Amino acid sequence: MTLFATIIVALEALRLNALRTTLAMLGIIIGVAAVITMASISTGASQRVEQFISSLGTNLLIARPGSSGMGGRQSGAGTSQSFEEKDVTALRNRVADIAAISGVVNGSGAIVYGNKNWQTGVQGVHADYHVARAWDVAEGSRLTDEDIRRKAKVAVIGKTIATELFGGQSPIGERIRIKNVPFEVIGVLEEKGQSGMGRDQDDTILVPISTARTRLAGREGSVAEPVQMMFISVRDGASMARVQEEVEAVLMERRNIRPGDQADFDVRNMSEFIQARTATQNTMGMLLATSAAISLVVGGIGIMNIMLVSVTERTREIGLRMAVGARGRDILVQFLVEAITLCLVGGLVGLAVGALCSGLVAHYAEWPVVMDPVYVILALFGSATVGLFFGFYPARRASKLNPIDALRYE
Amino acid sequence: MSEIIPVIEARGLYRHYYQGSQVVKALDGVDVTIMPGEFVAVMGPSGSGKSTFMNICGALDQPSGGSVKLDGRDLAGMSRDDLADLRNEVIGFVFQQFNLLPRTSAIANVMLPLRYAGISGPDAVALCERALTAVDLYQRMDHHPNELSGGQQQRVAIARALVTNPKLIFADEPTGALDSVTTVEVLKLFQRLNAEGMTIVMVTHDADVAAYASRCLHFKDGRIIDDVRQSERAAQ
């Protein structure tokens, strides 16, 4: 008998027991659906983080006050004394491989244009911020060193704010009020999209750091010209780690911390983020693989159980098939094909259910969901393998039956 | 002129098996030759060995000793696969309980042996239609077993046995599950097929049923105690 004919026979047998077939597939369906959903969600999450990291730039160092030891935070970021303008100048002058450095002073307040207003974060920055974060303007002009020096009341606004306050019209040259201080809009930033944590990066306003200090932020402790954090971009080809060390050394010295002591600030580079993310992803991957394996094995045992019942219940049918000329191999292949078909169809249905669930999560949780074709192929290949593995024993048992015993079976 | 080969040639056939410590002699030395075109009834009380005889001659069971030649081919030493092919090509089986696949049309049931013979497509359909025509069920080929009467179901089973054009048909109590009217219907069908040249071996415990055959083998305690041909029977 040809393989094709055997497959037809197997499919007919499955059709004849539609209810049992469905129940047998349920385990595989649920298993595959769960795996696909989880995989899609985690792939979506890691892509979002990846986008965020690349939007920050991979040659970026971020310095913040407050220490963070590897064994847990000792004090929250920002609780210790902030940096100051002189730190920025010192780093710019003393660390050769810094391509650009910008201090940041954060504030927030209501932005008013005409009769519209919008609550958002305001960042006081240096002109080099555009370079350090590789974030140019899409329209208008950047902040300049001259703006910083003059404490100019100019602002570069994010795409979201441009849309919210100005709708379709160009905001360049328009006057807005930030915390009641009038500013002139000189530029609109390029669109960056969401950050890894789901925050809209385009919902921001950049103003000169000097203006921010005097007009928008309160004085910070005893520091005359405070800087809350620094973005430092490293020259192409220079070692991130070495520049990071140099930056740390300069800051230690300036803050009178002896080498080897616990620093009261924290310098991070993006490769640490990437490493942390890779580690998380590996853990996630292991978790997924384990749960996938467990659910497929559980599903497979269900299939084996059903196939054994099926072989027992259809013993007379097997006997008849042997009496009319079925070889052992024909019976073996028939039951194997039945088992594999059960698993494969279950896998396909599970895939559809998984895609549906992922879609629902994407829609209701507003979570980016990505269906990786690799998972799709793995799920189908895995379920077919499960069918082959767990179907083999019952199929072999059927094929080894003695024709006369099978025919006489009550 | 070539010699006519017997369809079944059994020599010194015995089949012993153990039930606990007791030896059961299901067959205890059977010699018989059945020639093409014969319609043989195998009779005897239960436990007489008639079913064991049929199972061994039908290549469904192996003898403990002795030899069986089916259409000139010695079954001894044949592999499971060879035996399966032999059953497919040489023998058609008809069982007491019909053994049709449920929820499967008559023609699909009849086609089953052809599938294992590797025949498919229009050829297979044509053969099935011919077999169903031979049992007068051409009109009902699309019916499922539960839509057919017992007699009709048994005729589908007979069509299934005929479809590969075998050398002989083994019928194991073919009327055991039928009422008297359909019993006659099925036996007349056997007689007609036999008249057209088919060799038929039918196991039964019912003398009225056996009367339709042209030769009757009586089994008792694993041996043939009587071998009567119709002409002799008419004389009795």
Side-chain angles (χ1 to χ4, degrees), chain B residues 69-122:
Chain B
K69 278 186 187 168
L70 218 57
D71 194 33
R73 286 186 261 180
D74 196 338
L75 299 191
M78 281 178 115
S79 70
R80 276 174 67 103
D81 285 353
D82 289 340
L83 291 172
D85 292 350
L86 185 84
R87 288 194 293 270
N88 185 256
E89 291 160 25
V90 179
I91 308 167
F93 286 99
V94 176
F95 302 98
Q96 181 173 359
Q97 295 301 334
F98 323 139
N99 282 4
L100 298 176
L101 298 184
R103 284 160 289 178
T104 306
S105 67
I107 188 162
N109 266 292
V110 174
M111 204 175 286
L112 197 60
L114 295 179
R115 287 227 170 106
Y116 294 111
I119 302 167
S120 58

Side-chain angles (χ1 to χ4, degrees), chain A residues 224-272:
Chain A
E225 292 176 307
V227 168
Q228 286 170 346
M229 60 191 289
M230 293 184 273
F231 286 104
I232 302 162
S233 71
V234 174
R235 243 180 256 287
D236 286 347
S239 154
M240 290 289 289
R242 189 176 52 74
V243 177
Q244 187 176 353
E245 273 172 31
E246 285 179 33
V247 167
E248 279 166 354
V250 170
L251 291 175
M252 297 273 270
E253 184 194 310
R254 288 193 52 78
R255 292 162 83 86
N256 295 320
I257 300 163
R258 274 176 300 173
D261 280 4
Q262 179 70 47
D264 65 349
F265 62 90
D266 178 34
V267 181
R268 295 202 159 199
N269 77 54
M270 285 302 117
S271 70
E272 283 171 1

Side-chain angles (χ1 to χ4, degrees), chain A residues 62-69 72-83 106 220 228-229 255 263-268:
Chain A
I62 299 174
R64 297 167 189 270
S67 61
S68 99
R73 273 193 125 69
Q74 299 184 344
S75 61
T79 54
S80 65
Q81 192 178 38
S82 68
F83 301 123
N106 286 311
E220 291 233 0
Q228 286 170 346
M229 60 191 289
R255 292 162 83 86
D264 65 349
F265 62 90
D266 178 34
V267 181
R268 295 202 159 199

Side-chain angles (χ1 to χ4, degrees), chain B residues 38-50:
Chain B
E38 286 196 278
F39 184 178
V40 182
V42 178
M43 281 198 70
S46 24
S48 62
K50 58 187 193 298

Side-chain angles (χ1 to χ4, degrees), chain B residues 138-158:
Chain B
Y138 182 80
Q139 307 296 332
R140 299 186 183 253
M141 65 165 95
D142 294 324
H143 288 231
H144 288 191
N146 62 352
E147 298 162 340
L148 297 170
S149 72
Q152 288 169 333
Q153 287 185 55
Q154 192 60 300
R155 275 149 60 198
V156 172
I158 293 168

Side-chain angles (χ1 to χ4, degrees), chain A residues 39-53 196 277 280-281 284 367-368 370 375:
Chain A
S40 304
I41 290 172
S42 82
T43 311
S46 66
Q47 279 204 0
R48 181 187 258 188
V49 172
E50 211 160 87
Q51 276 168 10
F52 174 58
I53 289 174
R277 192 185 65 90
T280 313
Q281 215 172 21
M284 196 77 165
W367 185 270
V370 179
Y375 286 116

